[in-house]
């Protein structure tokens, strides 16, 4: 059984920083892409940043220049450093991984961590 467990969310003032972390565990053979998504109530989940196993990154326009995604393949972890946060960044943030467990590649999601930015 595979689990993705996030940590690091919380309440921060506008202009502040937060670092989210996510660890994958379980019967994992290989991990392809990993990423962070976020969702506001009543809105669709949107991509924030993704990173391939080779380290290639992709950011939403809203995250470019402010957020940095990184991963440790040996530890099966992914982090998201968020700087210059604004109220528009308030959302539940979800960790994502496409990984091989058993014979199939599947998409896995964490339970989500709340990020609240006060103005």
């Amino acid at each position: 059984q595979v689990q993705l467990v996030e940590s690091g969310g919380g309440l921060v003032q506008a202009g502040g920083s937060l670092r989210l972390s996510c660890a994958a565990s379980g019967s994992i053979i290989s991990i392809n892409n990993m990423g962070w998504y976020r969702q506001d109530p009543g809105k669709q989940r949107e991509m924030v940043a993704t990173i391939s196993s080779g380290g290639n990154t992709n950011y939403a326009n809203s995250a470019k220049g402010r957020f940095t995604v990184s991963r440790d393949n040996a530890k099966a972890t992914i982090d998201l450093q968020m700087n210059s946060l604004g109220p528009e960044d308030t959302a539940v943030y979800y960790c994502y991984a496409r990984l091989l467990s058993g014979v199939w590649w599947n998409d896995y999601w964490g339970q989500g961590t709340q990020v609240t930015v006060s103005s």
Side-chain angles (χ1 to χ4, degrees), residues 74-89:
K75 296 181 179 179
T77 59
I78 179 174
D79 291 341
L80 184 67
Q81 177 66 42
M82 303 186 294
N83 300 327
S84 302
L85 285 162
E88 65 279 9
D89 296 312

Side-chain angles (χ1 to χ4, degrees), residues 2 7 10 15 25 27 45 47 49 55-56 77 82 84-85 115 119:
V2 174
S7 61
S25 63
S27 302
R45 191 171 295 187
M47 185 272 290
N56 293 320
T77 59
M82 303 186 294
S84 302
L85 285 162
V115 171
S119 56

Side-chain angles (χ1 to χ4, degrees), residues 11 28 42 46:
L11 174 64
I28 300 170
E46 62 177 7

Side-chain angles (χ1 to χ4, degrees), residues 1-7 21-36 71-79 95-101 106-111:
Q1 191 170 358
V2 174
Q3 277 191 316
L4 300 182
V5 178
E6 301 114 333
S7 61
S21 296
C22 174
S25 63
S27 302
I28 300 170
I29 298 172
S30 182
I31 303 178
N32 193 347
N33 284 349
M34 301 185 80
W36 289 96
R71 67 186 279 179
D72 185 325
N73 290 331
K75 296 181 179 179
T77 59
I78 179 174
D79 291 341
C95 171
Y96 158 84
R98 184 162 182 82
L99 60 86
L100 180 63
S101 178
N106 281 303
D107 297 329
Y108 292 86
W109 296 89
Q111 80 284 356

